[in-house]
Each structure stands twice: as C-alpha cells, then as structure tokens.
Amino acid sequence: MEMNADAFEELVIDELDRLPDDMVEGLENIVFVVEDRPEDGSLDLLGLYDGLALTERTQYGMGELPDRIVVYRDPHLAQCDSEDELRDEIHTTLVHEIAHFYGIDDEQLHEMGWA
C-alpha cells in the first residue's frame, strides 16, 4: 500500500480522535510523532513509546521533556492492503503505545488481546 506522509498523519490524527476519552484524558506531557521508519530502517516495528511509564515515575514536574509516542508510516503501509486495514492497525498501535505510557507491558497487552 502507498500513502504520502501528510495523508498518513491525517489518519493517525483521526484515529487519535476516535480513542475513548478515558484513555486519552490522563495523557500528560506527551507528544505524538509520525516518522517513516525506526532508526534501524526495519519494517517490523509499528510504534514506539519513548518515555517513563506513569507506574515508574516517582516525581514528574516542570521542565521535563515530553514523552513521545512514535507511529511509523512505512511499516504500517507494508503490512496493510487497504485503508480500512491501515486504520485498524494505526488504532491498535496507538492503544498499544498509550498502554505503555500507563505502565501496561506487552504480556498484559497480550492477555487483553492488544498485542
């Protein structure tokens, strides 16, 4: 599947807007970023949470750099055959990475059906 960066970013924004309010209300000092690929150039990683989970923080205050959730465009496009499938995968990636922000690990995500 092919899609330019702007159109892909619009899909990510749209899927963020569709997430349940109780999932996104607790997000604080976090930015969402779209990049083409992970640093290693692979197509295996769909997203990344870059930060310190809420469950691991002892103190969080002024002057902290924001955590980041990165959604990788090329891996998503390589794994999806239609826009509907792409939307579903972006949605799943966002939920997965937001869960890491809240301290939910891959094992728990697997048990919940999100990994």
Side-chain angles (χ1 to χ4, degrees):
M1 182 173 182
E2 291 186 29
M3 179 179 287
N4 71 40
D6 291 336
F8 184 84
E9 189 169 323
E10 285 300 317
L11 282 182
V12 172
I13 291 167
D14 192 39
E15 289 307 312
L16 270 171
D17 289 342
R18 293 174 189 242
L19 293 174
D21 289 342
D22 59 343
M23 181 181 289
V24 294
E25 285 174 351
L27 297 177
E28 178 177 299
N29 200 30
I30 189 163
V31 295
F32 290 84
V33 179
V34 174
E35 294 181 0
D36 288 335
R37 289 184 182 212
E39 286 184 20
D40 67 2
S42 75
L43 293 175
D44 298 330
L45 187 64
L46 298 175
L48 176 71
Y49 170 65
D50 181 22
L52 189 62
L54 286 180
T55 55
E56 297 176 13
R57 296 178 185 178
T58 56
Q59 196 172 352
Y60 201 68
M62 299 289 290
E64 298 287 336
L65 289 175
D67 293 354
R68 297 180 338 135
I69 289 179
V70 183
V71 178
Y72 296 111
R73 182 174 66 99
D74 291 345
H76 276 88
L77 296 176
Q79 292 187 21
C80 298
D81 295 321
S82 69
E83 187 172 316
D84 286 340
E85 188 180 351
L86 180 60
R87 283 181 173 278
D88 287 345
E89 197 59 55
I90 290 170
H91 184 90
T92 300
T93 299
L94 289 170
V95 169
H96 185 103
E97 301 311 330
I98 289 170
H100 289 320
F101 170 83
Y102 287 116
I104 300 171
D105 63 22
D106 284 339
E107 184 177 323
Q108 291 170 299
L109 283 168
H110 184 71
E111 291 171 6
M112 298 164 63
W114 285 102

